[in-house]
Each structure stands twice: as structure tokens, then as C-alpha cells.
Amino acid sequence: MFGGGGDSRRMKKMMNQMGVDMEEIEGVEEVVIKTGTKEIVIDDADVNSIEAQGQKTYQVVGESRERSRVDDEDVSLVAEQADVDEDDAREALKTTDRDLAAAIESLE
């Protein structure tokens, strides 16, 4: 993360002396940040855990993409009204940008 071999070791040593502990989290497959209306997904992310003064912080580096977040209650309602399974209802809601009426109509 900090460059070639010796520099990263020296940087880590300096951070430890300042009471900052940094550790790479191995094998991360996906990081998801959820908001009320969307999810930001970072696949194959490089993640570091940094602890300083009793506070833990995560550093995430990678390519991100956004996807619409669909409420489970909306999925159930659309599935019931359109008489389809929940996977089809969820997909219809994503396609219609979470518009319940449009999702139901698209499934009829």
C-alpha cells in the first residue's frame, strides 16, 4: 500500500510508534454500503483496518458500482398483487426504479 518493501515496513513501524495499528483484511469478496435507496458495491476490494486512540476505521479501495435498494415489504406487495414470486417482483421493482404501480403493471 505504501510503496516498495522497505518503505512500507518503515511506515508501519512509525505508525505503531504513534499508537496506530494497521492490518490488511485478507480475502475480502465484497463490501456493501447501504443507504435508504441504493447500495454501493465494491467487489474484490482491498480493505485495511486502522485502529488509533480506541477508534477503528476501515479503508476500502476498489472499483465500485451502484444498485437500487428494494424494500422487502415492497417486494412482498408486488409479488402478491401480480401473483409472481419474490425474485420476479424484486427485479420488476429494480427495473421500474422502485415504482410499485409500474412494477405490478409490468408483471401483468
Side-chain angles (χ1 to χ4, degrees):
M1 180 179 142
F2 292 106
D7 288 340
S8 66
R9 282 190 296 274
R10 190 171 42 225
M11 178 66 83
K12 192 166 185 166
K13 184 177 179 180
M14 285 176 22
M15 289 174 65
N16 281 337
Q17 288 173 344
M18 293 186 300
V20 178
D21 184 30
M22 184 166 145
E23 177 184 336
E24 184 175 352
I25 299 174
E26 300 287 334
V28 174
E29 295 177 13
E30 178 181 77
V31 174
V32 180
I33 301 168
K34 295 180 180 185
T35 71
T37 59
K38 68 182 177 183
E39 293 179 348
I40 301 167
V41 181
I42 305 155
D43 294 310
D44 298 321
D46 293 325
V47 180
N48 290 301
S49 169
I50 304 164
E51 191 165 344
Q53 299 176 356
Q55 194 90 324
K56 191 173 264 196
T57 305
Y58 294 91
Q59 176 187 44
V60 180
V61 179
E63 292 295 316
S64 67
R65 59 187 165 87
E66 288 186 14
R67 62 185 179 206
S68 215
R69 186 162 182 214
V70 180
D71 186 81
D72 288 338
E73 290 179 21
D74 291 348
V75 171
S76 296
L77 177 67
V78 170
E80 181 182 319
Q81 293 294 314
D83 196 26
V84 297
D85 65 39
E86 290 196 352
D87 290 336
D88 290 340
R90 185 176 306 281
E91 195 56 42
L93 282 163
K94 288 179 184 176
T95 303
T96 61
D97 198 27
R98 299 177 17 201
D99 183 322
L100 295 174
I104 294 167
E105 189 174 289
S106 74
L107 292 166
E108 293 178 339

